[in-house]
């Protein structure tokens, strides 16, 4: 079995940098670790927003993962990757009519409704189509996920409907024409490293499901408890204890399943499954001193990996990084600022990073880069475009995304033929 360094250097030799490289074995292993930490009554839905590459989704699908999508394109990717409508849920705060129409026509497992207006729109479209749409109501609970740095619920957000409002109005939802209310959905927060927090969060949601079922005396067929299982990006963090997670979640879900055997239990996950399976690799283009600091200038940065650069965060900390070319055998390290190609002082992948002595043309990798990489980065800044993506699997390198070329980027723009415009000279406006 090759080491991660060998796999990356091998992929880089074939496809160059900047590049995203995924370790297929690690991806499968991560998925199975989560899958095996949950009882069979729970279905794991991979969240495409985290990394929507069709080949990666296909690999996960081949191991049984279902899919959670947030746009028409993600839905088409899920289908192309082999998902079936029964294993797709579609959520997000702004779904366009054409997206809803396609989802309803496909008959996906559930459209997760984020507002009462959206429920009405879905009802209208389903009526026009002469069908019934399967939906779940997304609730923004009165409870927030402890331990999540990004809380999506338990505070004002544009996600879901307030818990108290749902409790009051569920009867109305049930009477909405042309919709089949499957149940509820809650997603409270992401990157949670404490198993107990995920457990408490889940317990609350399952209780909420029970309360609504009893109050409205109906049998639902779905509860989506979100997830938010995290990975430890920073030196002071500890990985989620998967054994503790398993010990807590097994009895919780099995008890629920005994009470509600007809209810499909859904857990969503992205970061935990794919985060540690991805590497972002860049080459050193230049090394320079500036105002007392040593800058390692590389051919990729915030434009491809804004999460690693800490965009939007007040306190910026480094993802785990390493120079994988350095021949230096001793443990000597130097302090570097690893900067990217953008004309922005914030384009730094590594700040005060301790790294082995580094030279031009060395390959530096950012680990834990499988989640929220290209998909949440400003790839068009400086018109560099998005990088190549490679899957290393079974001792082979598979090209899974071609890099954007200048031609690709320019061809999306439209050149206006100003010669065809007769009166080009604007009239001066007298003020
Ligand atoms: C509704 C929903 N589902 C799933 C995810 C994926 O979360 P994670 O990457 O923490 O697994 C997110 C992330 O924000 C989300 O908002």
């Amino acid at each position: 079995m090759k080491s991660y360094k060998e796999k990356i250097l091998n992929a880089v030799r074939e496809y160059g940098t900047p590049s995203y490289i995924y370790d297929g074995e690690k991806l499968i292993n991560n998925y199975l670790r989560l899958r095996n930490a949950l009882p069979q009554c729970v279905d794991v839905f991979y969240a495409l927003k985290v990394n929507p590459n069709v080949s990666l989704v296909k690999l996960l699908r081949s191991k049984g993962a279902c899919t959670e999508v947030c746009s028409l394109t993600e839905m088409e990717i899920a289908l192309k990757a082999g998902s079936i409508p029964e294993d797709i849920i579609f959520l997000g705060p702004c779904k366009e009519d054409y997206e809803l129409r396609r989802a309803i026509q496909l008959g996906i497992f559930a459209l997760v409704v984020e507002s009462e207006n959206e429920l009405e729109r879905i009802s209208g479209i389903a009526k026009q189509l002469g069908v019934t749409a399967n939906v779940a109501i997304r609730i923004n609970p009165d409870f927030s996920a402890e331990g999540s740095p990004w809380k999506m619920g338990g505070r004002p957000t544009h996600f879901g409907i307030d818990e108290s409002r749902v409790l009051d109005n569920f009867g109305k939802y049930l009477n909405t024409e042309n919709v089949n209310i499957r149940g509820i959905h809650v997603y409270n927060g992401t990157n949670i490293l404490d198993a107990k927090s995920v457990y408490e969060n889940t317990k609350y949601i399952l209780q909420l499901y029970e309360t609504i079922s009893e109050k409205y005396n109906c049998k639902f067929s779905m509860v989506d408890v979100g997830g938010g299982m995290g990975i430890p990006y920073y030196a002071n963090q500890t990985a989620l204890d998967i054994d503790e997670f398993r010990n807590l979640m097994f009895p919780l879900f099995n008890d629920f399943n005994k009470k509600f055997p007809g209810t499909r239990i859904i857990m969503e996950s992205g970061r935990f499954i794919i985060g540690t399976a991805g590497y972002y690799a860049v080459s050193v283009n230049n090394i320079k001193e500036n105002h007392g600091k040593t800058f390692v200038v590389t051919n990729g940065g915030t434009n491809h990996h804004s999460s690693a650069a800490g965009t939007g965060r007040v306190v910026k900390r480094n993802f785990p990084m390493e120079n994988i070319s350095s021949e230096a055998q001793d443990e000597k390290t130097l302090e570097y600022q690893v900067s990217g190609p953008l004309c922005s002082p914030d384009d730094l992948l590594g700040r005060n990073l301790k790294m082995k002595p580094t030279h031009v043309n060395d390959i530096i990798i950012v680990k834990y880069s499988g989640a929220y990489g290209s998909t949440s980065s400003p790839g068009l800044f400086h018109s560099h475009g998005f990088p190549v993506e490679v899957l290393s699997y079974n001792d082979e390198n598979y090209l899974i995304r071609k890099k954007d070329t200048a031609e690709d980027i320019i061809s999306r723009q439209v050149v206006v033929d100003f010669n065809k415009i007769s009166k080009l000279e604007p009239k001066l406006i007298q003020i």
Side-chain angles (χ1 to χ4, degrees):
M1 183 86 139
K2 285 199 184 105
S3 72
Y4 69 92
K5 284 188 205 176
E6 287 171 311
K7 286 182 180 184
I8 297 167
L9 286 170
N10 197 295
V12 164
R13 247 176 256 122
E14 200 170 342
Y15 292 102
T17 61
S19 45
Y20 273 100
I21 295 142
Y22 303 95
D23 181 332
E25 280 79 17
K26 192 153 180 48
L27 178 64
I28 293 171
N29 191 50
N30 288 347
Y31 170 72
L32 294 179
R33 277 180 77 222
L34 179 61
R35 177 59 279 176
N36 296 336
L38 295 165
Q40 279 310 310
C41 59
V42 180
D43 280 337
V44 176
F45 277 60
Y46 171 68
L48 268 77
K49 63 174 78 59
V50 171
N51 189 324
N53 185 280
V54 66
S55 294
L56 301 176
V57 183
K58 191 171 174 179
L59 193 54
L60 289 170
R61 178 72 189 155
S62 73
K63 301 294 164 198
C66 303
T67 44
E68 178 257 296
V69 303
C70 285
S71 67
L72 179 81
T73 309
E74 285 190 355
M75 193 153 51
E76 301 301 346
I77 293 172
L79 291 169
K80 207 166 178 176
S83 195
I84 52 170
E86 184 68 10
D87 288 340
I88 298 177
I89 58 169
F90 181 14
L91 51 93
C94 175
K95 304 183 197 76
E96 301 272 25
D97 283 359
Y98 67 90
E99 298 182 299
L100 294 173
R101 203 169 297 118
R102 171 82 170 134
I104 295 169
Q105 277 171 330
L106 280 170
I108 65 166
F109 187 71
L111 273 155
V112 179
V113 171
E114 306 256 359
S115 70
E116 291 176 357
N117 293 339
E118 191 180 67
L119 185 62
E120 285 305 317
R121 279 174 55 221
I122 291 172
S123 164
I125 294 170
K127 202 169 179 179
Q128 270 171 13
L129 295 172
V131 294
T132 299
N134 297 315
V135 305
I137 304 295
R138 179 168 183 176
I139 303 176
N140 183 346
D142 298 339
F143 170 84
S144 70
E146 282 310 311
S148 168
W150 294 286
K151 293 186 175 42
M152 318 266 177
R155 66 184 184 91
T157 63
H158 55 307
F159 307 117
I161 308 171
D162 287 3
E163 181 178 328
S164 54
R165 196 177 170 95
V166 171
L167 284 168
D168 289 344
N169 291 355
F170 218 95
K172 211 171 81 193
Y173 308 159
L174 289 168
N175 287 328
T176 309
E177 286 182 310
N178 295 77
V179 298
N180 165 36
I181 310 270
R182 282 207 185 275
I184 62 166
H185 168 285
V186 179
Y187 184 89
N188 246 359
T190 180
N191 210 29
I192 306 170
L193 292 168
D194 176 26
K196 195 96 201 311
S197 289
V198 183
Y199 167 80
E200 292 296 344
N201 198 31
T202 308
K203 207 165 88 175
Y204 187 94
I205 299 162
L206 297 178
Q207 181 55 57
L208 193 54
Y209 180 91
E210 204 167 331
T211 306
I212 297 171
S213 305
E214 273 169 18
K215 180 166 178 191
Y216 290 94
N217 190 28
C218 49
K219 269 198 173 139
F220 295 124
S221 55
M222 158 188 171
V223 61
D224 184 331
V225 298
M229 289 70 71
I231 54 174
Y233 290 101
Y234 309 120
N236 61 344
Q237 293 181 322
T238 324
L240 180 82
D241 184 335
I242 201 75
D243 294 327
E244 184 190 2
F245 178 85
R246 186 182 192 284
N247 292 339
L248 291 167
M249 299 315 248
F250 253 75
L252 181 66
F253 283 130
N254 278 336
D255 287 350
F256 179 85
N257 183 238
K258 266 188 215 127
K259 261 195 207 162
F260 299 95
T263 301
R264 186 177 194 183
I265 308 170
I266 293 176
M267 248 194 145
E268 297 172 21
S269 175
R271 195 191 303 271
F272 183 88
I273 294 175
I274 206 165
T276 58
Y279 303 85
Y280 178 55
V282 289
S283 300
V284 178
N285 168 281
N286 192 14
I287 299 186
K288 60 190 271 191
E289 300 295 321
N290 202 290
H291 279 263
K293 300 249 180 198
T294 308
F295 283 78
V296 169
V297 184
T298 68
N299 60 356
T302 313
N303 50 327
H304 299 156
H305 205 340
S306 75
S307 346
T311 307
R313 255 181 279 130
V314 181
V315 182
K316 303 194 194 279
R317 292 181 287 177
N318 298 331
F319 274 35
M321 292 175 69
E322 191 178 350
N323 178 341
I324 56 168
S325 308
S326 175
E327 297 298 328
Q329 294 300 315
D330 56 34
E331 287 309 301
K332 184 180 153 202
T333 56
L334 298 173
E335 188 175 286
Y336 295 108
Q337 314 305 312
V338 181
S339 59
L342 305 183
C343 298
S344 151
D346 262 353
D347 186 19
L348 289 168
L349 288 175
R351 295 173 165 79
N352 304 324
L353 179 75
K354 303 272 190 301
M355 198 163 53
K356 286 194 173 172
T358 293
H359 311 280
V360 169
N361 291 332
D362 279 358
I363 307 291
I364 294 176
I365 56 164
V366 183
K367 298 179 187 174
Y368 290 21
S369 294
Y372 306 102
S374 276
T375 191
S376 56
S377 299
L380 285 180
F381 203 7
H382 287 202
S383 298
H384 284 297
F386 288 101
V388 66
E389 299 192 25
V390 182
L391 170 66
S392 163
Y393 183 50
N394 261 341
D395 282 335
E396 296 266 356
N397 289 323
Y398 297 94
L399 174 68
I400 58 168
R401 186 191 192 279
K402 295 176 194 160
K403 76 171 187 184
D404 291 349
T405 61
E407 177 53 26
D408 291 332
I409 295 168
I410 296 166
S411 67
R412 303 299 300 158
Q413 301 186 16
V414 179
V415 186
V416 175
D417 183 357
F418 291 108
N419 290 329
K420 286 195 179 151
I421 301 170
S422 50
K423 287 179 191 144
L424 251 188
E425 291 304 316
K427 287 210 175 89
L428 278 182
I429 299 166
Q430 300 294 335
I431 301 172

